[in-house]
Amino acid sequence: MTPNSLDLLSLYAEQMLEVLEWLSSYGADPEGGVTRLLYTEPWLQAQQALTQKMREMGLEAGFDAVGNVFGKLQGNNLALKSVLTGSHVDTVKNGGKYDGAYGIVASMMALGYLKAAYGTPKRTLEVVSFCEEEGSRFPLAYWGSGHVTGVRSLAGASEIADLEGVTMLEAMQQAGFDTASVSEHPAKREDIGAYIEIHIEQGSVLEYKQKQIGIVTAIVGQIRLTVNVTGTSNHAGTTPMTMRKDALAGAAEMLALTERMALEEGEPLVATVGRLEVKRGTSNVVPGEVEFTLDIRHTDEWKMDAFRARLLAEFEVIAMRRDLHIDTTLNLHASPVAMHEGISAEIEAACDAHGFESMRLPSGAGHDAQLFGPICPTAMIFVPSRAGISHSPDEFTEPADLVAGFQTLIHVLYQYGYG
Ligand code: HGY
Ligand code: MN
Ligand code: MN
Ligand code: MN
């Protein structure tokens, strides 16, 4: 890199840190943390502000039909497919300021820097702020990247509702999107040649191994289910213990079994019940209906599916013994995806060139890159998470590591855009 571009680089690195703080103000919770749920006011303001920021970077920026925001640095060789980089703008409830946001801001500032330092690239480079990845408002994840990769369509959105009963379609319309323009058929983009995502690790391996950059080898498979247990609600004082069809007692047995079977299965399998709701729960009523979520992950799809089948069969045994009924809804089945070796080698070379200590590791978290892996060369860059904490207001990454990731991303995008 030429000397003046080094001064320019430190300027953009400083700005990247400032813009990351600025973005976290959209959906900031009074008690700390950030909540930016799909199609809510803080989400819309953040996407609109990012569109404006991208334009200030000299990118052609705007929304697509479902609320993804793209910023394009047009290349001069139109025969070459674009390189897309970015992440998701939505968060979990009371989440951190880096999950998703860092990938968007680092990518946007990287394209701004490359344009300022090197002008028009050979190949178009694009940044994307995906509208939704977490599945934290609606029981559907990857809505943004799923639209771009052709695996999500509006067809199913009208039945999907949040915990207040607002359907995804209604929420989309309330946020000002013309749902009629979102074709019933996926609007898959065919012009993306590669996808590169930079993200916090959300785990503690890099910190433990004292590495500054992670090069992701694969992303785990993921199954997300909603389990509904129904029994009979009844009077807590007059119903003998032996005559109850207690949905919560049954669910509690299922939760304990989930943990026991996951421990017996051993790593890398993980199984989590993140939300449990007692419908019409009242202290003096035997619970008649319970709903809980189940999140199962593994690097091996066959073992993940086999574990789900065994676990649900055991749930049925518990239900039969307690004269309960269970219904399960599959909200997500994402296969494990290997990352592209060619791009990963470029990332490793960038780290070596900059003297950043790097290592290869799998991702236990799902990412938008999971959906691009099957359709184009895809790779991920990780930076360390302090104490491995994420999906929490305590999520934190050292500025020096954020900048190292930023420089690594620039180096790789330069190779693909200008090399
Ligand atoms: O849940 C996940 O793995 C990701 O943070 N959406
Ligand atoms: Mn994320
Ligand atoms: Mn997340
Ligand atoms: Mn470099």
Side-chain angles (χ1 to χ4, degrees):
M1 288 189 145
T2 54
N4 71 324
S5 76
L6 276 176
D7 301 342
L8 196 62
L9 184 58
S10 0
L11 176 72
Y12 272 82
E14 271 310 306
Q15 280 184 4
M16 183 271 293
L17 297 171
E18 287 159 13
V19 171
L20 195 50
E21 284 304 315
W22 161 84
L23 182 55
S24 69
S25 66
Y26 292 88
D29 295 336
E31 66 273 11
V34 181
T35 303
R36 264 195 314 266
L37 303 183
L38 178 64
Y39 299 138
T40 59
E41 201 45 39
W43 171 92
L44 184 60
Q45 288 168 8
Q47 288 292 68
Q48 288 167 338
L50 281 166
T51 305
Q52 187 46 38
K53 226 16 142 191
M54 289 180 189
R55 287 174 183 153
E56 287 164 17
M57 291 287 136
L59 308 176
E60 292 163 39
F63 281 86
D64 74 359
V66 293
N68 296 313
V69 170
F70 289 89
K72 184 186 283 190
L73 176 54
Q74 183 64 51
N76 50 33
N77 181 342
L78 300 184
L80 296 174
K81 288 191 169 186
S82 297
V83 171
L84 181 63
T85 180
S87 195
H88 59 94
V89 75
D90 68 313
T91 67
V92 295
K93 290 172 189 153
N94 204 227
K97 63 172 84 164
Y98 303 89
D99 178 4
Y102 170 58
I104 297 165
V105 172
S107 303
M108 174 174 70
M109 301 308 291
L111 295 197
Y113 165 75
L114 288 168
K115 178 179 166 75
Y118 302 99
T120 304
K122 191 180 59 183
R123 174 195 304 271
T124 296
L125 302 174
E126 283 190 77
V127 52
V128 60
S129 171
F130 284 122
C131 60
E132 191 281 341
E133 179 265 358
E134 295 286 2
S136 40
R137 177 178 181 185
F138 300 99
L140 175 89
Y142 303 114
W143 175 240
S145 48
H147 189 72
V148 175
T149 55
V151 297
R152 288 283 182 274
S153 74
L154 208 59
S158 41
E159 291 96 56
I160 292 176
D162 64 11
L163 296 178
E164 276 71 53
V166 178
T167 69
M168 203 166 179
L169 212 60
E170 288 160 346
M172 222 171 144
Q173 287 157 347
Q174 285 160 13
F177 292 90
D178 166 19
T179 49
S181 72
V182 184
S183 70
E184 286 298 290
H185 307 292
K188 180 176 178 182
R189 280 188 53 175
E190 306 292 350
D191 62 339
I192 297 168
Y195 178 70
I196 302 172
E197 181 169 359
I198 190 164
H199 202 286
I200 55 171
E201 178 198 346
Q202 300 179 295
S204 48
V205 173
L206 291 178
E207 183 181 65
Y208 177 72
K209 297 277 189 180
Q210 299 189 333
K211 302 291 181 184
Q212 222 168 358
I213 300 289
I215 301 164
V216 177
T217 53
I219 301 172
V220 288
Q222 213 183 119
I223 289 175
R224 293 192 196 178
L225 298 161
T226 303
V227 180
N228 204 283
V229 183
T230 41
T232 307
S233 57
N234 216 324
H235 196 294
T238 57
T239 314
M241 294 307 288
T242 53
M243 292 173 68
R244 296 181 173 205
K245 297 178 184 176
D246 184 332
L248 182 54
E253 209 179 325
M254 293 171 195
L255 270 54
L257 178 71
T258 300
E259 185 185 47
R260 197 169 72 244
M261 281 181 62
L263 286 166
E264 284 162 5
E265 175 77 15
E267 292 186 5
L269 179 118
V270 286
T272 311
V273 175
R275 182 175 64 81
L276 178 140
E277 186 189 347
V278 181
K279 301 286 188 183
R280 303 170 297 285
T282 317
S283 69
N284 59 349
V285 176
V286 175
E289 186 182 356
V290 166
E291 180 177 282
F292 63 86
T293 59
L294 197 49
D295 176 312
I296 300 169
R297 307 193 187 191
H298 202 299
T299 48
D300 178 315
E301 183 156 6
W302 188 88
K303 289 183 179 168
M304 178 174 73
D305 289 344
F307 179 83
R308 174 191 47 179
R310 283 202 330 273
L311 184 64
L312 293 186
E314 290 299 333
F315 282 6
E316 285 292 351
V317 170
I318 293 170
M320 259 184 330
R321 177 165 34 83
R322 288 173 170 269
D323 202 0
L324 301 172
H325 178 74
I326 59 172
D327 284 306
T328 56
T329 310
L330 178 66
N331 300 321
L332 174 71
H333 184 290
S335 304
V337 178
M339 295 291 97
H340 188 261
E341 182 45 39
I343 307 178
S344 299
E346 286 287 352
I347 297 169
E348 196 156 0
C351 293
D352 297 347
H354 287 266
F356 301 141
E357 288 281 302
S358 68
M359 67 177 283
R360 303 283 181 117
L361 76 168
S363 172
H367 299 287
D368 291 304
Q370 192 143 17
L371 271 63
F372 283 89
I375 64 167
C376 68
T378 299
M380 286 197 76
I381 303 169
F382 272 174
V383 292
S385 295
R386 184 175 61 189
I389 294 170
S390 181
H391 283 187
S392 151
D394 298 332
E395 193 176 271
F396 179 78
T397 297
E398 291 295 341
D401 294 336
L402 295 170
V403 171
F406 176 63
Q407 286 188 327
T408 304
L409 178 66
I410 284 175
H411 190 111
V412 175
L413 290 175
Y414 177 83
Q415 303 297 347
Y416 284 98
Y418 299 83

